[in-house]
Amino acid sequence: QVQLVESGGGLVQPGGSLRLSCAASGSQFSINAMGWYRQAPGKQRELVARITRGGFTTYADSVKGRFTISRDNAKNTVELQMNSLKPEDTAVYYCQVIIATRTYWGQGTQVTVSS
């Protein structure tokens, strides 16, 4: 009943920026938290950033000071502004939403940082 649409991935040079977007739609709901995870080849999926309904944020140590997560509760969207990108940021990024204790995942968007 909930669909997540992700956009904004692509190829950038080291030091560049990208902005990821995720929109949740399909039902009337209240989102408890939204966030972004990423999975690099051969690695487990890991938390990048999360923001709760109340606006509390959590970031992975590796992205603190470079990434900023934000949300629009009225539109059920979450954004991830990624600055000063590094090659190690290369991964598939997945949007996650938590609605009434249930977790939903987007299909993933590729982010590649390379010169």
Side-chain angles (χ1 to χ4, degrees):
Q1 63 177 349
V2 176
Q3 296 85 44
L4 305 182
V5 180
E6 304 166 340
S7 62
L11 173 65
V12 297
Q13 295 182 339
S17 298
L18 284 174
R19 187 175 181 87
L20 305 183
S21 299
C22 177
S25 63
S27 299
Q28 295 289 333
F29 46 72
S30 178
I31 299 177
N32 290 339
M34 304 186 76
W36 291 93
Y37 285 68
R38 68 186 181 188
Q39 187 168 20
K43 293 189 175 182
Q44 296 291 314
R45 188 176 299 185
E46 64 178 0
L47 174 69
V48 178
R50 175 180 290 183
I51 184 167
T52 69
R53 182 178 182 84
F56 291 97
T57 58
T58 301
Y59 294 94
D61 289 341
S62 59
V63 308
K64 288 180 180 177
R66 300 188 297 119
F67 291 10
T68 303
I69 190 169
S70 61
R71 67 181 295 179
D72 185 331
N73 290 333
K75 292 185 174 183
N76 293 321
T77 60
V78 62
E79 314 287 333
L80 184 68
Q81 179 65 45
M82 304 186 294
N83 299 325
S84 302
L85 284 162
K86 305 175 180 180
E88 50 262 46
D89 294 318
T90 297
V92 177
Y93 284 68
Y94 297 90
C95 177
Q96 181 208 61
V97 302
I98 300 176
I99 303 171
T101 76
R102 300 193 69 177
T103 301
Y104 300 86
W105 294 95
Q107 294 299 309
T109 183
Q110 178 70 46
V111 171
T112 302
V113 185
S114 177
S115 60

